[in-house]
């Protein structure tokens, strides 16, 4: 398709897809013609047809706009955007919609907005021409430094800034690790159950994907040794399993590290909630015991600062630094500079530690509010195996396996809980609701929210 037809089709598609909205102004004929390098007549012909068919309206000297009276069937938009997987779509909705008990997000009401804005202002005012260049692919040097200091002090690592690679979220870290190190046929092992979005990504990019069950001691390392010993990558959440919230026991940690050393395999330690332990003494990260340098440590600021920032990091074994640097250059991993600058200031000026301390106390209290409310509204329907930390609880069903139906009912009342069974890849599952508590502000609020689906819950569970 050439000339005016191509322009006509492009506009029609954009309008039908809803990308160009009713009333929106389109470029002047002369401007678009210059932009596309075509004659004015070509654009004029396309616009005239679009006007004739009612997609555009000419407003004389004020230009041409998308017809404000155009009525598009909402179904059009739906089919363009809908994800072809019901569970995935459901979880995306839970992540993005407003409601109670949202999973995995920090307390939005207690974020130190003023401090953040103040630091942002400082960095915006300090902008110089050199800040307009592409940021380094491994990340902004002061941020890498600040992260190395933080994980060394808080999580017991012993790394230098040169080992830190800044990424834009956990899945980005995972993809980069596999891109840098894995061949298509390498065996990759993931926890079962495991973080839903991580599992989705791996199903797409790892051809030889297997699962190892998780019990009250964390990843079942005996199972790994018996059935998946030849794995090249094990991806695990030792500090705080997702979603069962259990901690990998010390003997299993040692077994796992020894296996990795013997097999020359890689352990990817996802320390995503390692900051939030409330009662017991915090176990240092698995990476802190990794004398053979087989652990690739990944962390994120999504839980401690905000998911919107999309800043996470990998702490690399020393032997992998060059390989990652090269991969990062090739696939271009630079993140926008400004958020990295603000964050590094936030950490190095001590605000991050203060914020974490405050959030630990707050989350512990909020968790108790939700536990009390759950117990008072549903004294016989659920049980909770209380673990030490994290940002959510799992309310296991005392009987039955209808967590999917139950979650659907609760979601209809804007309670954004997720059915535990959906996190499992294998046939052996447990059933319950995964409930975030970080944004619950009082026991009364939690109780009122939990009462919303009361009748239907009792009708389903008895
Ligand atoms: C197990 C696990 N790892 C990592 C993350 C962090 O995700 P991201 O850094 O992509 O926001 C999450 C978020 O919910 C998670 O549940």
């Amino acid at each position: 398709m050439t000339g005016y037809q191509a322009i006509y089709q492009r506009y029609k598609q954009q309008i039908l897809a809803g990308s160009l909205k009713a009333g929106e102004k389109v470029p002047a004929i002369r401007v678009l013609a210059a932009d596309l390098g075509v004659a004015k007549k070509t654009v004029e012909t396309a616009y005239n047809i679009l006007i004739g068919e009612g997609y555009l309206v000419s407003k004389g000297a004020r230009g041409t706009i998308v017809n404000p009276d155009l009525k598009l069937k909402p179904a059009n938009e739906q089919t363009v955007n809908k994800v072809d997987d019901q569970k995935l779509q459901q979880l995306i909705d839970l992540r993005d919609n407003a409601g109670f008990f949202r999973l995995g997000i920090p307390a939005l009401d207690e974020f130190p907005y003023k401090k953040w804005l103040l630091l942002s202002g400082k960095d915006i005012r300090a902008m110089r021409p050199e800040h307009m260049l592409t940021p380094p692919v491994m990340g902004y040097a002061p941020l890498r430094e600040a992260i190395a200091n933080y994980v060394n002090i808080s999580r017991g690592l012993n790394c230098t800034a040169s080992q830190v690679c800044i990424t834009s979220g956990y899945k980005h870290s995972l993809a980069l690790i596999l891109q840098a190190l894995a061949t298509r046929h390498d065996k990759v092992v993931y926890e079962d159950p495991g973080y839903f979005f991580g599992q989705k990504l791996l199903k797409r990019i790892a051809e030889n994907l297997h699962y190892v069950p998780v019990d009250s001691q964390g990843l079942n390392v005996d199972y790994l040794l018996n059935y998946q010993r030849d794995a090249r990558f094990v991806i695990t959440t030792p500090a705080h399993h997702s979603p069962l919230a259990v901690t990998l026991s010390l003997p299993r940690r040692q077994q796992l590290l020894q296996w990795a050393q013997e097999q020359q395999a890689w352990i990817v330690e996802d320390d995503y909630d390692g900051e939030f332990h409330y009662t017991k003494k915090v176990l240092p990260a698995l990476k802190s015991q990794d004398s053979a340098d087989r652990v690739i440590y990944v962390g994120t600021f999504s839980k401690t600062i905000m998911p919107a920032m999309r800043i996470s990091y990998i702490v690399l074994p020393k032997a992998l630094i060059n390989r990652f640097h090269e991969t990062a250059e090739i696939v271009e991993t630079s993140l926008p500079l400004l958020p990295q600058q603000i964050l590094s200031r936030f950490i190095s000026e001590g605000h991050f530690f203060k914020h974490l301390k405050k959030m630990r106390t707050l989350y512990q209290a909020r968790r108790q509010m939700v536990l009390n409310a759950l117990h008072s509204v549903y004294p016989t329907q659920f049980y909770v195996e209380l673990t030490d930390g994290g940002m959510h609880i799992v309310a296991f069903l005392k009987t039955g396996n209808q967590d999917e139906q139950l979650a659907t009912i609760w979601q209809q009342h804007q309670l954004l809980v997720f059915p535990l069974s959906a996190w499992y890849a294998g046939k052996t599952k447990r059933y319950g609701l995964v409930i975030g508590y970080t944004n619950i502000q009082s026991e009364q609020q939690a109780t009122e929210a939990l009462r919303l689906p009361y009748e239907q819950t009792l009708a389903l569970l008895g």
Side-chain angles (χ1 to χ4, degrees):
M1 218 181 307
T2 53
Y4 74 87
Q5 279 180 335
I7 299 172
Y8 161 79
Q9 281 299 349
R10 242 183 259 172
Y11 269 92
K12 188 173 158 183
Q13 274 163 12
Q14 295 291 307
I15 293 169
L16 288 176
S19 322
L20 274 174
K21 307 252 171 344
E24 204 166 306
K25 201 165 174 195
V26 298
I29 291 174
R30 153 182 65 75
V31 175
L32 186 62
D35 202 33
L36 298 178
V38 297
K40 275 199 283 188
K41 190 81 195 144
T42 309
V43 178
E44 196 177 344
T45 309
Y47 275 21
N48 281 341
I49 301 174
L50 290 160
I51 291 169
E53 292 183 0
Y55 290 108
L56 299 182
V57 178
S58 169
K59 291 280 175 188
R62 282 187 288 130
T64 306
I65 60 170
V66 179
N67 188 349
D69 299 325
L70 201 64
K71 297 266 179 301
L72 293 176
K73 287 193 209 110
N76 268 342
E77 219 171 324
Q78 295 271 316
T79 40
V80 171
N81 294 329
K82 213 66 184 169
V83 175
D84 184 25
D85 176 329
Q86 203 201 340
K87 272 190 198 135
L88 181 59
Q89 183 61 49
Q90 211 179 354
L91 193 50
I92 290 169
D93 290 345
L94 296 187
R95 187 191 63 192
D96 295 346
N97 293 342
F100 295 105
F101 307 123
R102 262 169 83 173
L103 290 179
I105 50 167
L108 303 179
D109 57 329
E110 290 290 334
F111 184 73
Y113 292 98
K114 270 196 196 148
K115 180 59 70 191
W116 192 263
L117 289 178
L118 201 78
L119 299 184
S120 310
K122 274 190 194 172
D123 279 312
I124 289 169
R125 283 191 296 277
M127 186 176 163
R128 298 287 173 271
E130 63 268 26
H131 295 146
M132 294 167 73
L133 305 174
T134 308
V137 291
M138 296 285 276
Y140 176 58
L143 179 59
R144 296 170 76 194
E145 192 80 47
I147 290 172
N149 290 339
Y150 163 63
V151 292
N152 288 347
I153 292 167
S154 284
R155 307 295 297 131
L157 271 63
N158 181 19
C159 69
T160 62
S162 65
Q163 290 171 260
V164 177
C165 173
I166 311 290
T167 54
S168 63
Y170 169 66
K171 284 185 289 174
H172 183 215
S173 299
L174 262 192
L176 190 64
I177 291 167
L178 294 184
Q179 207 155 24
L181 301 179
T183 68
R184 284 168 44 154
H185 307 295
D186 279 340
K187 185 179 271 190
V188 177
V189 161
Y190 201 55
E191 295 173 329
D192 191 27
Y195 177 45
F196 187 87
F197 285 123
Q199 192 200 90
K200 279 272 161 206
L201 171 76
L202 290 173
K203 276 186 176 162
R204 189 165 279 206
I205 64 173
E207 284 181 17
N208 194 2
L209 178 64
H210 295 264
Y211 300 92
V212 166
V214 172
D215 58 26
S216 60
Q217 311 270 302
L219 183 85
N220 187 334
V221 181
D222 278 336
Y223 185 100
L224 172 79
L225 300 185
N226 286 332
Y227 301 106
Q228 309 293 357
R229 181 180 277 276
D230 58 341
R232 204 163 125 69
F233 296 89
V234 167
I235 301 160
T236 177
T237 46
H240 190 249
H241 173 263
S242 170
L244 295 177
V246 292
T247 303
L248 187 64
S249 68
L250 263 179
R252 285 194 182 174
R253 284 170 186 241
Q254 273 144 14
Q255 249 183 320
L256 186 63
L257 289 169
Q258 197 182 338
W259 162 81
Q261 184 176 5
E262 283 164 12
Q263 291 288 320
Q264 290 295 287
W266 297 111
I267 301 168
V268 178
E269 174 178 24
D270 175 10
D271 200 26
Y272 82 111
D273 252 358
E275 292 85 1
F276 299 121
H277 279 258
Y278 311 133
T279 46
K280 287 190 221 138
K281 195 170 170 307
V282 184
L283 267 187
L286 181 67
K287 178 77 190 155
S288 70
Q289 300 165 293
D290 174 32
S291 51
D293 227 5
R294 302 307 303 176
V295 176
I296 304 171
Y297 176 94
V298 302
T300 181
F301 289 102
S302 289
K303 314 293 165 192
T304 50
I305 305 271
M306 64 179 102
M309 201 172 53
R310 306 314 302 144
I311 298 187
S312 55
Y313 47 94
I314 309 176
V315 179
L316 298 164
K318 291 198 182 73
L320 296 182
I321 297 174
N322 288 344
R323 173 84 72 95
F324 267 75
H325 203 157
E326 189 191 32
T327 308
E329 285 289 356
I330 293 169
V331 300
E332 168 70 82
T333 53
S334 309
L335 265 72
L337 183 65
L338 186 61
Q340 297 190 72
Q341 290 176 312
I342 302 167
L343 178 60
S344 64
R345 220 187 255 279
F346 191 75
I347 302 174
S348 58
E349 290 185 11
H351 310 297
F352 184 54
F353 277 94
K354 241 190 262 169
H355 180 56
L356 280 182
K357 187 163 176 275
K358 190 169 157 199
M359 289 306 101
R360 262 182 222 117
T361 315
L362 184 80
Y363 292 165
Q364 192 178 352
R366 289 186 170 182
R367 179 172 74 159
Q368 199 55 49
M369 290 169 193
V370 172
L371 287 170
N372 292 349
L374 186 72
H375 187 70
S376 77
V377 181
Y378 300 107
T380 58
Q381 285 76 14
F382 301 101
Y383 66 97
V384 177
E385 288 167 0
L386 207 52
T387 49
D388 181 43
M391 301 168 86
H392 66 259
I393 55 166
V394 182
F396 293 97
L397 300 191
K398 275 207 178 140
T399 52
N401 57 4
Q402 298 133 304
D403 61 351
E404 298 225 8
Q405 293 97 308
L406 188 62
T408 305
I409 293 171
W410 284 35
Q411 287 160 17
Q412 283 158 358
H413 293 272
Q414 263 60 57
L415 311 191
L416 306 183
V417 297
F418 203 71
L420 174 64
S421 62
W423 249 278
Y424 284 85
K427 289 211 166 44
T428 313
K429 300 175 198 279
R430 297 182 76 189
Y431 301 90
L433 297 178
V434 187
I435 304 177
Y437 51 72
T438 46
N439 282 282
I440 287 296
Q441 292 170 1
S442 67
E443 192 172 319
Q444 189 188 344
Q445 185 194 39
T447 307
E448 283 168 12
L450 289 171
R451 278 203 189 115
L452 294 172
Y454 183 72
E455 308 289 331
Q456 287 159 284
T457 303
L458 260 52
L460 187 72
L461 300 182

